[in-house]
Amino acid sequence: MKKIFISLIIASNILYAGMKQDIDYSEFDKIPKIELAKLMANEMARGVRLPMKLDEITQLTNIYSYDSNIIFRKEIDITNVKIKELWENKKNDVIHYMLKGDSQNICYNPMWKYMIYKRNIIPEFYYTSTDNKPLFHYTVEIEDCRKLK
């Protein structure tokens, strides 16, 4: 029953993303935090075909939970002409740009607001190169959401 409820909530958030909505998340309060993170990560991963191309240089390769965090693994093609020079000369600008985009996607989503503010379930982003070398990682937390306002 919990999985059906969570699937419905996730589907409604996807369908009505960006629209003002008042969804009651109180059923989630009954689910232990680590179990909720695992359920949410599994539902998100099931809802997309991985790897999923996000843009010309980035793809989402995996979604899973670890403890009470939900992990998003993304791959960047740093050899692509559109980013190669920027990555070599202004790596911190690329990281800042990615953090800002991920923060906006998370912080403006009502379901994520609930998970971050009420349940302290933190999204974590790990970026690798196309040859699977770690590039950078970060979390999006309450402070990051407050900076966007």
Side-chain angles (χ1 to χ4, degrees):
M1 182 67 182
K2 279 190 256 185
K3 286 187 177 186
I4 293 170
F5 177 73
I6 289 172
S7 295
L8 288 173
I9 294 292
I10 291 172
S12 69
N13 269 279
I14 291 169
L15 287 174
Y16 301 106
M19 297 175 71
K20 185 157 177 71
Q21 53 185 323
D22 294 320
I23 296 176
D24 180 13
Y25 295 104
S26 60
E27 284 296 313
F28 288 150
D29 294 337
K30 300 173 187 173
I31 303 171
K33 183 167 66 168
I34 292 173
E35 185 180 336
L36 179 59
K38 182 177 180 179
L39 286 169
M40 298 301 280
N42 289 340
E43 287 299 317
M44 283 184 250
R46 268 185 12 171
V48 297
R49 183 179 298 206
L50 296 173
M52 182 174 92
K53 193 166 184 77
L54 302 174
D55 57 40
E56 201 172 326
I57 60 167
T58 314
Q59 69 177 356
L60 177 64
T61 59
N62 203 355
I63 304 171
Y64 60 94
S65 68
Y66 178 76
D67 197 23
S68 62
N69 289 5
I70 296 179
I71 314 298
F72 296 88
R73 290 208 172 265
K74 294 184 177 183
E75 182 180 273
I76 299 177
D77 181 2
I78 56 173
T79 64
N80 185 297
V81 294
K82 292 192 174 193
I83 194 172
K84 185 177 181 178
E85 186 178 331
L86 190 60
W87 179 254
E88 290 171 354
N89 299 317
K90 295 185 177 183
K91 192 178 296 186
N92 288 337
D93 290 351
V94 173
I95 295 169
H96 176 76
Y97 175 80
M98 300 306 258
L99 172 61
K100 184 177 179 183
D102 287 331
S103 295
Q104 288 172 338
N105 289 332
I106 294 294
C107 298
Y108 294 139
N109 179 289
M111 183 173 39
W112 272 109
K113 279 185 180 179
Y114 164 79
M115 291 197 304
I116 292 173
Y117 284 90
K118 302 288 187 205
R119 298 303 303 271
N120 198 31
I121 294 174
I122 304 299
E124 199 167 341
F125 295 85
Y126 284 87
Y127 284 84
T128 62
S129 62
T130 52
D131 57 353
N132 208 29
K133 291 184 180 161
L135 298 176
F136 57 93
H137 78 278
Y138 50 75
T139 58
V140 176
E141 301 186 38
I142 292 171
E143 306 83 51
D144 300 303
C145 292
R146 288 183 180 145
K147 288 178 191 175
L148 293 175
K149 295 179 181 183

